[in-house]
Amino acid sequence: MKKSSTKHPIDFASNSRAPQYKTVISKQYDTTSINFGGYYIIAVWGCGSGCREGVMIDTRDGIVYNLPTKKGYFDFGNGIENYSNSVLLITSYTHSEYIPNTTNREVEITYWLWNESAKEFVNYTTSNKIIKE
């Protein structure tokens, strides 16, 4: 399948949250190259107190998908890693509290796989690591 360099207009009606963030989504969609799964553009923005949220837009049909979350909120944490040629999305949440008696903090890292046929993210695995500051 040959990929098109033309982006389909965003279908803001395809996602209930998209109209609320139309300006930031449009700007990132217009200025960003495909950055996930061969056809998608992930657009993210801050939501206060270090958290981030965002959506993913299919450049073939303009449909807007929510990014995955674990907490039942719209934010995915405070870190995201994605690549144009991969369906693996990595989100992270760095806890704000230090581990007692240290200057270390715990980071929860979640690995998500995009299921293209079902058009949904599947939680692959979650791990924790300690970061030293």
Side-chain angles (χ1 to χ4, degrees):
M1 172 182 280
K2 185 178 179 188
K3 296 179 187 175
S4 172
S5 60
T6 305
K7 296 176 187 175
H8 192 281
I10 301 170
D11 179 2
F12 286 98
S14 66
N15 182 292
S16 62
R17 294 177 55 243
Q20 181 180 356
Y21 299 99
K22 186 175 185 174
T23 302
V24 68
I25 293 170
S26 297
K27 183 176 181 181
Q28 289 188 42
Y29 187 71
D30 291 344
T31 60
T32 304
S33 299
I34 290 170
N35 62 9
F36 184 75
Y39 301 102
Y40 299 93
I41 292 177
I42 291 180
V44 298
W45 55 89
C47 54
S49 299
C51 75
R52 300 182 76 194
E53 62 181 281
V55 295
M56 181 176 76
I57 308 104
D58 191 332
T59 60
R60 298 167 292 183
D61 57 16
I63 292 178
V64 180
Y65 298 94
N66 289 325
L67 293 180
T69 66
K70 287 190 68 174
K71 300 181 290 181
Y73 301 108
F74 290 118
D75 72 282
F76 52 78
N78 47 23
I80 189 166
E81 198 173 325
N82 52 283
Y83 300 96
S84 63
N85 60 348
S86 176
V87 294
L88 176 67
L89 181 76
I90 304 168
T91 59
S92 61
Y93 172 71
T94 303
H95 294 267
S96 58
E97 305 84 28
Y98 288 99
I99 296 170
N101 304 315
T102 74
T103 58
N104 304 333
R105 292 193 283 172
E106 186 175 15
V107 179
E108 181 179 298
I109 302 167
T110 305
Y111 300 86
W112 306 90
L113 291 174
W114 175 248
N115 181 329
E116 181 67 27
S117 60
K119 300 289 187 190
E120 66 182 8
F121 283 98
V122 177
N123 184 330
Y124 179 67
T125 189
T126 300
S127 64
N128 292 311
K129 73 176 187 176
I130 305 298
I131 58 170
K132 297 179 182 195
E133 298 188 346

